[in-house]
Amino acid sequence: MTSPASGLFGIPEMTQVWSPQSLVRRMLAFEAALARAEARAGIIPASAADQIEAVCRGPLEWLDIDALFAAARGAGTPAIPLIEMLNEHLPDPVRGLAHWGATSQDAMDTALVLQMRDGIDILVERLLSAGTAASTLAERHRHTLMAGRTLLQQALPITFGLKAARWLGLIARQVPRLQEVRLRATCVQLGGAAGTLAALGSAGEQVTLLLAEELELVVPDMPWHAERDRVAEAASALGVVAGAMAKIAADVMLLAQTEVGEVAEGGDSGKGRSSALPQKRNPVDAIMALASSRLAVAQVPVILGSMLQEHERAAGGWQAEWEAVPALFGFTVDAVDRVRSSLSGLQVEPQRMRANLAASGELVMAESLTMALAPSLGRRQALLLVREVAGRARENGFNLRLAALADERILSALSVVDIDAALDPENYLGSTDTYIDRALAEFAELLPAERKPSHE
Amino acid sequence: MTSPASGLFGIPEMTQVWSPQSLVRRMLAFEAALARAEARAGIIPASAADQIEAVCRGPLEWLDIDALFAAARGAGTPAIPLIEMLNEHLPDPVRGLAHWGATSQDAMDTALVLQMRDGIDILVERLLSAGTAASTLAERHRHTLMAGRTLLQQALPITFGLKAARWLGLIARQVPRLQEVRLRATCVQLGGAAGTLAALGSAGEQVTLLLAEELELVVPDMPWHAERDRVAEAASALGVVAGAMAKIAADVMLLAQTEVGEVAEGGDSGKGRSSALPQKRNPVDAIMALASSRLAVAQVPVILGSMLQEHERAAGGWQAEWEAVPALFGFTVDAVDRVRSSLSGLQVEPQRMRANLAASGELVMAESLTMALAPSLGRRQALLLVREVAGRARENGFNLRLAALADERILSALSVVDIDAALDPENYLGSTDTYIDRALAEFAELLPAERKPSHE
Amino acid sequence: MTSPASGLFGIPEMTQVWSPQSLVRRMLAFEAALARAEARAGIIPASAADQIEAVCRGPLEWLDIDALFAAARGAGTPAIPLIEMLNEHLPDPVRGLAHWGATSQDAMDTALVLQMRDGIDILVERLLSAGTAASTLAERHRHTLMAGRTLLQQALPITFGLKAARWLGLIARQVPRLQEVRLRATCVQLGGAAGTLAALGSAGEQVTLLLAEELELVVPDMPWHAERDRVAEAASALGVVAGAMAKIAADVMLLAQTEVGEVAEGGDSGKGRSSALPQKRNPVDAIMALASSRLAVAQVPVILGSMLQEHERAAGGWQAEWEAVPALFGFTVDAVDRVRSSLSGLQVEPQRMRANLAASGELVMAESLTMALAPSLGRRQALLLVREVAGRARENGFNLRLAALADERILSALSVVDIDAALDPENYLGSTDTYIDRALAEFAELLPAERKPSHE
Amino acid sequence: MTSPASGLFGIPEMTQVWSPQSLVRRMLAFEAALARAEARAGIIPASAADQIEAVCRGPLEWLDIDALFAAARGAGTPAIPLIEMLNEHLPDPVRGLAHWGATSQDAMDTALVLQMRDGIDILVERLLSAGTAASTLAERHRHTLMAGRTLLQQALPITFGLKAARWLGLIARQVPRLQEVRLRATCVQLGGAAGTLAALGSAGEQVTLLLAEELELVVPDMPWHAERDRVAEAASALGVVAGAMAKIAADVMLLAQTEVGEVAEGGDSGKGRSSALPQKRNPVDAIMALASSRLAVAQVPVILGSMLQEHERAAGGWQAEWEAVPALFGFTVDAVDRVRSSLSGLQVEPQRMRANLAASGELVMAESLTMALAPSLGRRQALLLVREVAGRARENGFNLRLAALADERILSALSVVDIDAALDPENYLGSTDTYIDRALAEFAELLPAERKPSHE
């Protein structure tokens, strides 16, 4: 189905992979490869395979796609009318030899797997682009101080580079996961009408191997018409990617709030302008990524729930995949691409970050002060003391430094220099640098040589 | 986004309601009505309203829909470029008067509500058609005996008319529910940039009333940009409809099993034929309804979850509705229409129903025999006795009648005539007839006069 | 199942309604009422009904609940062992007369409906409390200026009273909805083994009516063992409530951010304190409400999806309700109660609201200025001019007033007094007051007389 | 929360892993290991670590779990009151040294990971048991002919051994997947208040390594407080397991239908008996597995959707995991265990399988006949001819053999012996044996040596 928002979600490359035309092309690729495999196994004549291949790989003027999908409504699958039309179109001696021994689901599922493979490649490519953007931010803002926020409350100082490094780590971990799934899920489907390959007699295994070879697909342990764990695993991996994008997008959205103002999405070309409010700069990419992420995640339980598949071919569960899998790919890549776009053009405001950090009157350094006091007072005493002093500071509207300097107990434990050192965020970043290094290094290993940034 | 299965799901009327063109048309209908309302309220000149209306209701050659949606990607909503293009196209003195005081979400949400209203009308119409088919089955098969099955085990006799009456009741209860929701959810949206209608000064309420009047929509208590309970309620009602269709479709699918064979979907025109298996007749409509139902239900949590909307306009939750709501309408009506098609052409096999009922050797009448024995033996004793006798029958492969007639205890409690009466399914149907009558009567009340069947 | 977080979610009253004990009590209430109804209909002796009722309503020492649920695992429902234990416990002549003509699902479903009724009452009561808190905020902060925020960007001024009024409207609309559902969903279940009430002969309808009367439940059109639309509708209504709570909680969470600081949750008793960070005050109620809302919403598709129910009793779909419905009630009421607690103790910071509004240098008043200029310049010209001036202000770091006063074109259109009026947020609140009045009035009508606040 | 069905779902071992007590124990294990690690790194005295460890690993009389969870409601996490109570309980010089440098989420997340590890081990163990049962069925029924069914219509013959082998393959593929996830997801959490380990100065990495060593957990690239991809990946893997169980359970449920009667669940001890219907034998395990599967799958989108986590600690998304993850483990293992129980006691009816296969009058052998005719007639002609003959057979109520023998065109292509051979299901099983062998071999490799069945 199409939708009013059809222009707003998805990227053309992915939409193209899952178009009706593309499905038909891939089903025909299956038929061509099957004919070739069966010719190699001596089941149909090589000349027949040649003719079938020529038709399947050639121009498709002979095929009325609208008529095909209209017929598919009654047939319950587009494979049935396609195979009929294909055989119709083949010259007489070859007619009937296409699709020999296979079932419509063999063509549909193998096409699905070919689409998933292409879809994953596009996803990985966009993830690497998003990662590159995050990696640039991590590197560039390694020392840019900002408030770390837990439960949306300022907690301790971090650097923006660390936040970007955590985004980067999150992105980077998805890439090998998708590549794993790409290997595992791209099994050829060939089982015949009830999954026994009965029509191929004793040649079933051989034809399966040759077919997989033709299409560069994996040979499964057995046909998987009604056991969809591989599809479900791939779907779940995409769901995790979509969920990951929501984390990054939410951070951008929150940092871009008027009152926070620490980042803005690249403001060229009217992006994010309001019709009524000239001052606004909406983080459109982050917002759309959040929407896409929700829509993508919603497909996962459809696919998991659809694993309930009856006997040797499902009545409903398989058919639901036909919409859910493309939607999942479409929304997931949209979320990734929006995050890529958001991060690529992100305007970072280090001064605002610093100002926000300072705005709470160094209260954010309370733990640091606690830790500095702990050796002499004990952690518990230190905690209670700093809590008291911080409360006094908050109530009276002066900052933690002043409140600390006014407290005898603190002064007897720490010198003014020590207090100032304890209140300097730069001194309280712990393992920040290590984590940034690690994220950068791990991501760099994922990049193909030609994409690695040259630092000079 | 489109999908490879795009031709397989959805019905043209509904797809049309939710097309990009249709969204644009309805946003323009909002702008036209707003201009008219503002003219009536004395805010813009009547002549300006005339011109705006003429452009919005006239041919759309001036509008490049592809360009609009391309711009929408950056703007984050199609309303912003649309309003820009509209004002661009208006002659100079009027330019800038379209959309006066409104915000882009006002146009989008009012368009949504107009689409939902049309969508619900289509849904109701298809539900009534499905109900008509169920009603015919209930009437015609009022006395057609079949096995009632609990947990997929034969339990007691029912009639196929009762089953169809339960389907009918389920369908019928959705119609007033949808009509309720149609009233409640079709509130006009007009709030301006932050939901205060500040730009309309003190005329906000008046313009809202006039706008609602122009569009024949309900006036809400206040703007609802970020409070989506009405959309969510409507979505839930559709989810219930989709769930209801799964119940009916599952029954058809199960009855159509080869080993049950009590119904078949209308077998004209190659529907449900298999490419490889000439003997098969797949219940394609029921199967596709099951798939659509799953896909529809999956949209509901997206919409409920998207009620988390930030402040005065949501960042992500609102935008997710743009895909989820159309998908929900599209899949739900598809499920309804498939059920309608399935029931309309349903071939019922009363002989097979009777044979299946008999096949378990009257074991299905065990409760009836128990009840007949209970007055003299006590229910508990009767239950234990019949369980014992039934076990003996099953083990020895003869039927319950023979086993009963061979049991002294039963013979001392009941005459052979009584035993035969107790084992006749026709005598053990309880309130079946009452329920059928009630379902038929309730449905008949829903039908507009011209659709009522004339029985003669 | 229990969970490690079992103490963190839910409120005792609701947990109690859905406890195993409570389920058993309500199944016994069904059995007592059924016996009474059957006695009134002359099916069993009145003395038997007396005895059954006495046992069912009396102390439950005779019942080993652990043994019951252990047996339920094998039986597939707790009703079967319960009825067995009940009959076991009854004295001899009455033994076997309990549960006469009914099926285990009749007892389970009627118990469910009784639990749902109580659960809805608790929900409504908490919603009214939450509404009362929102209503106090709306009244008290009717004129408290704050920034309206769209897509998390400051847009236009609103008042905090309006925000609270929108929360109030959202809460208020759920109450009649739940009351509707309470009426519609609380249908008695009585169908016997296959939904025909065969074992009651021609007395089925009469017994159903009397049973409903005994339990003060609605009489359905027919038994609904496998048609779960009413349960699904009730579940959806709760899902909408849960979604609504997320909206309110998200607003609180966002307003409580360190950098926004416009509200804080009531800070007594260590709520929201951090173990490590003495300065933090986490909005714990809002946060937990957001978690509960997610968990509640996730139950809705389980219940909608479980409407796929086979024939006369479902194999899986019905059973899934046993966990999903209680979880839905438990998480929904938790979300409501957390919102109630959050709003009841909310500390509002009008000065911070005003300061945040001012912080963007009156840019938030840009639309107001545009509107003031529009009559003389035309809306479009005014928009472009203000956009230009606002851009200049932002770039140069001075506020919109100064930028406007420095612009000849503006000065030639408006006097300084006019400019100042246009930049005063108090003058640009549109229909704010009307909306607040309406929300307060609508909520007041929901309150039972004794709960209405007395204003003096 | 608890639920009325609490006794019906879940297995004790898993419920125990996720009990409140178990959570507390694992948080204390974290604190003990942290103290030990910090002592090894020279941050706290070894004697302090000894004392902390003794308290954390010793009897818990000092801990009032009810009070802890009551306090947790206000604190927003059970870790905060636990750490407070722990420090309270420690003797004075050590007081305050427990939890040094860590944050409450470090304790909660590490406990989560420890629970997940144990939970996965239990899951794998039950999967292996279920697999053993499936493997026995595959072996024993390798040659037991039955109908293969697509879209619930008889399609071609298969063997019950093949069906069981497909179940086995499905089960077997989940085991390495879970083991992978067990490795990948069991990362220690240690980040301190904002994920920088600031309070540990430069020792953060060292302490992390030592802590991981103490707990035998993986060292992550960096803390992952708000990046939940590992949890989500593990959750998805469980979702796939739950989905897989639905496939198997649905097959059992369908095969156990009265009209199919090919399997029954082991009928000892009253399992699946009906209160009203003495003849019934419900497949209770399969039915409950279907319910559990639905409930498990519903948790996955909660966890994926909760990946939207704000900044350095989430406000809602993390907290939702506390219920969703335990529920997911509980329902998934319940589904696995019900499948295990169902398959372990499965009564298989080879005669009924054979009879069902024969019942459609050899129509199920139509493809085989088509294939036999294809060499001489061409596939297409053969298909049309068999379709015609099969239609004639069905209409006239005689079987395919008779119809074929009555057709001149068939007789001219095939001898009677050939026809009979083509109609013998044993001759039309294709690669069935190979697939069974493969599934058995792959599963055997998963079994630890001591569990391997000894075939002699």
Side-chain angles (χ1 to χ4, degrees), chain C residues 101-448:
Chain C
T103 190
S104 54
Q105 190 171 359
D106 293 335
M108 290 281 286
D109 277 348
T110 301
L112 171 76
V113 152
L114 292 168
Q115 289 173 301
M116 285 171 59
R117 185 170 64 182
D118 291 348
I120 290 175
D121 288 345
I122 296 171
L123 251 180
V124 165
E125 190 270 329
R126 295 289 156 132
L127 273 172
L128 289 176
S129 295
T132 301
S135 138
T136 303
L137 293 170
E139 188 72 86
R140 186 177 305 157
H141 294 285
R142 179 187 283 272
H143 304 299
T144 305
L145 281 170
M146 75 186 299
R149 297 169 177 102
T150 56
L151 311 178
L152 295 175
Q153 303 291 305
Q154 288 195 9
L156 285 187
I158 62 170
T159 74
F160 183 59
L162 176 60
K163 191 183 279 275
R166 292 209 326 271
W167 296 342
L168 178 60
L170 183 58
I171 290 169
R173 289 192 295 273
Q174 307 316 306
V175 172
R177 180 75 193 103
L178 287 174
Q179 283 163 341
E180 234 174 68
V181 154
R182 184 194 193 279
L183 267 184
R184 204 139 58 193
T186 54
C187 288
V188 80
Q189 180 70 286
L190 189 67
T196 59
L197 284 180
L200 295 180
S202 60
E205 270 302 282
Q206 188 195 357
V207 173
T208 305
L209 285 168
L210 292 170
L211 173 63
E213 196 181 297
E214 292 285 332
L215 295 168
E216 297 177 54
L217 291 173
V218 178
V219 181
D221 46 356
M222 60 188 112
W224 46 279
H225 292 139
E227 292 81 36
R228 312 298 286 185
D229 50 318
R230 293 178 185 95
V231 176
E233 187 192 341
S236 303
L238 266 76
V240 175
V241 172
M245 293 306 107
K247 191 279 173 284
I248 302 174
D251 280 0
V252 169
M253 174 192 83
L254 291 168
L255 294 174
Q257 291 174 99
T258 305
E259 296 80 10
V260 179
E262 300 184 359
V263 306
E265 288 192 351
D268 56 319
S269 73
K271 198 184 99 185
R273 299 284 179 196
S274 155
S275 64
L277 303 170
Q279 85 282 8
K280 286 191 66 181
R281 288 264 302 281
N282 297 319
V284 169
D285 283 324
I287 288 165
M288 294 302 289
L290 288 165
S292 288
S293 175
R294 282 182 181 276
L295 291 159
V297 163
Q299 307 302 325
V300 176
V302 178
I303 296 165
L304 294 177
S306 291
M307 291 178 71
L308 189 170
Q309 302 221 342
E310 297 86 357
H311 294 318
E312 281 65 49
R313 184 169 316 161
W318 174 46
Q319 293 77 5
E321 285 180 7
W322 303 344
E323 285 276 346
V325 173
L328 175 56
F329 272 85
F331 290 123
T332 301
V333 84
D334 190 68
V336 172
D337 195 53
R338 286 284 191 174
V339 164
R340 178 202 59 71
S341 169
S342 176
L343 299 189
S344 302
L346 206 66
Q347 297 180 2
V348 182
E349 307 290 346
Q351 285 184 310
R352 191 71 185 269
M353 289 176 174
R354 188 100 204 196
N356 285 335
L357 186 60
S360 47
E362 289 128 17
L363 284 170
V364 79
M365 296 308 296
E367 189 196 73
S368 176
L369 184 60
T370 307
M371 286 293 160
L373 289 165
S376 40
L377 304 185
R379 183 174 186 257
R380 193 167 181 66
Q381 277 314 107
L383 185 69
L384 295 174
L385 175 54
V386 173
R387 196 174 280 177
E388 179 197 327
V389 171
R392 208 155 53 228
R394 194 165 37 217
E395 275 157 38
N396 298 311
F398 44 79
N399 66 27
L400 184 60
R401 181 172 186 271
L402 286 183
L405 292 177
D407 190 283
E408 281 305 317
R409 292 160 299 176
I410 291 180
L411 283 178
S412 68
L414 295 176
S415 70
V416 175
V417 169
D418 288 345
I419 292 173
D420 281 340
L423 295 178
D424 182 351
E426 306 249 14
N427 295 335
Y428 204 63
L429 291 169
S431 303
T432 294
D433 242 28
T434 311
Y435 298 150
I436 296 174
D437 286 341
R438 204 171 288 158
L440 289 171
E442 279 172 14
F443 181 68
E445 281 186 24
L446 295 176
L447 284 183

Side-chain angles (χ1 to χ4, degrees), chain A residues 393-445:
Chain A
R394 195 165 35 217
E395 273 157 39
N396 299 311
F398 44 80
N399 67 26
L400 184 60
R401 183 173 186 271
L402 286 182
L405 292 177
D407 190 285
E408 282 304 316
R409 291 159 299 177
I410 291 179
L411 284 178
S412 69
L414 296 175
S415 71
V416 175
V417 168
D418 289 344
I419 292 173
D420 281 340
L423 295 179
D424 182 351
E426 306 251 13
N427 294 334
Y428 203 64
L429 290 170
S431 303
T432 294
D433 242 28
T434 311
Y435 298 150
I436 295 174
D437 286 341
R438 203 170 289 157
L440 289 171
E442 280 172 14
F443 181 68
E445 281 187 25

Side-chain angles (χ1 to χ4, degrees), chain C residues 8-61:
Chain C
L8 278 172
F9 293 89
I11 66 170
E13 295 87 328
M14 189 63 92
T15 306
Q16 150 48 18
V17 166
W18 298 99
S19 70
Q21 289 73 14
S22 166
L23 171 66
V24 166
R25 264 292 175 207
R26 282 165 177 83
M27 286 198 284
L28 291 174
F30 166 85
E31 300 298 349
L34 178 64
R36 177 65 48 214
E38 291 180 341
R40 287 169 67 191
I43 291 170
I44 66 168
S47 61
D50 289 345
Q51 285 182 279
I52 292 169
E53 221 173 344
V55 168
C56 291
R57 302 230 158 108
L60 298 186
E61 291 99 29

Side-chain angles (χ1 to χ4, degrees), chain B residues 34 36 41 43 88 135 154 184 207 214 221 224 258 292 308 313 327-328 364 366 399 403 412 424 429 437:
Chain B
L34 178 65
R36 177 65 47 216
I43 290 170
E88 212 70 46
S135 139
Q154 288 195 11
R184 203 139 57 193
V207 173
E214 291 285 332
D221 46 357
W224 46 278
T258 305
S292 288
L308 189 170
R313 185 171 314 160
L328 176 56
V364 80
N399 66 28
S412 69
D424 183 350
L429 290 169
D437 286 341

Side-chain angles (χ1 to χ4, degrees), chain B residues 228-316:
Chain B
R228 313 299 285 185
D229 51 315
R230 295 178 183 96
V231 176
E233 187 192 341
S236 303
L238 266 76
V240 175
V241 172
M245 295 304 108
K247 191 278 173 285
I248 302 174
D251 280 0
V252 169
M253 173 193 84
L254 291 168
L255 295 174
Q257 291 174 98
T258 305
E259 296 82 9
V260 179
E262 300 183 0
V263 306
E265 288 191 352
D268 55 319
S269 72
K271 197 183 98 182
R273 298 286 181 197
S274 155
S275 64
L277 304 169
Q279 85 280 7
K280 284 190 67 179
R281 287 263 302 281
N282 297 319
V284 170
D285 283 324
I287 289 166
M288 293 302 289
L290 288 166
S292 288
S293 175
R294 282 182 181 277
L295 291 159
V297 163
Q299 307 302 325
V300 176
V302 178
I303 295 165
L304 294 177
S306 292
M307 291 179 72
L308 189 170
Q309 304 220 341
E310 297 85 358
H311 294 319
E312 281 64 51
R313 185 171 314 160

